[in-house]
Amino acid sequence: MKRGIKWGLILLSLAVLAGLWTWRYVTMNAWYDSFAQDEEVEYHQMAERLAFGKNRLSSGKTADGYFIRVNSFEIVNYQDFMADWTPPEDFEPLFRPDKLALVRITLFNEDSDAEGVMLTELGLHGDDAYAGMDSNLLTALNPVLEGAYGICLPKGTEYDLVLPYDLFADNLSGWTWRNIETYPWFLHVTGWPKELDVALNG
């Protein structure tokens, strides 16, 4: 009899614990979903002149009064790119990726007193992939940056820049790598309250 009561209590305890765990799981997911629903994602196309507005970059700063236009997007073999490009004398690559994703943009300062735009906050991503910016190559391809990772433009001016992202076969799924040319990539411009993404090849 005592043994039956003991097992009954154990089973009851396990049922209570399972119920509590389920309740916690459901409430936590609902809590996280409430944040996701607060964010609005806007998708734009290349060649659009897109305002940063009061939306925040990943650092939390804004670039209100700045605009961005994506002019082109291409994926190139890293070795071929390095063979065709003449780097600065002091250039030393930090990474040697398999491929590079090159996003050519124009930044505009219409009438902004903002500090500028930190270019390393402009991310490249897909539905299930992310590519990190090659900050060393960023400054080498854009001498105007003078070694900095961001740029502040005088009011009423614009500047063309190249954003390089490293692509490693080992960091992507086999399917994504095999379809890298047609895989849908996006340039992530701002994070919240409105997420602005530019479709690069879709």
Side-chain angles (χ1 to χ4, degrees):
M1 183 70 178
K2 288 183 178 179
R3 188 172 183 180
I5 293 173
K6 179 180 176 183
W7 278 107
L9 290 173
I10 290 173
L11 290 174
L12 180 61
S13 298
L14 289 174
V16 169
L17 288 172
L20 289 172
W21 182 88
T22 302
W23 173 80
R24 181 66 175 161
Y25 178 83
V26 170
T27 55
M28 283 296 289
N29 278 324
W31 185 68
Y32 283 117
D33 286 345
S34 70
F35 287 104
Q37 291 169 0
D38 289 341
E39 290 185 2
E40 181 184 346
V41 182
E42 269 190 16
Y43 294 99
H44 296 267
Q45 299 299 315
M46 290 199 302
E48 284 187 50
R49 193 170 181 265
L50 180 61
F52 284 81
K54 297 190 181 301
N55 301 304
R56 298 189 178 276
L57 289 88
S58 58
S59 65
K61 295 182 178 180
T62 63
D64 196 12
Y66 273 83
F67 293 76
I68 184 172
R69 183 183 67 219
V70 177
N71 302 315
S72 68
F73 171 72
E74 66 176 329
I75 294 175
V76 297
N77 181 280
Y78 178 76
Q79 295 296 341
D80 293 343
F81 176 81
M82 294 303 291
D84 294 339
W85 177 56
T86 304
E89 289 183 9
D90 59 347
F91 177 75
E92 184 64 35
L94 293 176
F95 307 103
R96 288 180 170 80
D98 299 299
K99 293 182 182 290
L100 283 172
L102 301 175
V103 183
R104 291 178 172 82
I105 66 167
T106 302
L107 275 182
F108 307 84
N109 180 350
E110 189 170 90
D111 186 25
S112 178
D113 292 316
E115 294 178 10
V117 177
M118 186 60 66
L119 300 171
T120 50
E121 294 187 55
L122 304 176
L124 180 68
H125 72 92
D127 289 335
D128 62 350
Y130 174 82
M133 184 177 287
D134 191 321
S135 55
N136 198 34
L137 192 54
L138 172 71
T139 57
L141 290 172
N142 302 285
V144 68
L145 299 178
E146 297 180 345
Y149 299 145
I151 188 168
C152 181
L153 299 176
K155 292 180 180 181
T157 64
E158 63 185 69
Y159 205 86
D160 294 333
L161 298 153
V162 182
L163 309 179
Y165 298 88
D166 293 329
L167 297 172
F168 296 90
D170 290 344
N171 292 349
L172 302 172
S173 70
W175 183 91
T176 300
W177 188 254
R178 289 191 301 273
N179 297 278
I180 196 75
E181 300 291 341
T182 56
Y183 178 80
W185 291 102
F186 299 87
L187 182 69
H188 180 74
V189 179
T190 62
W192 78 94
K194 189 178 291 184
E195 183 177 337
L196 301 179
D197 279 6
V198 178
L200 299 175
N201 59 346

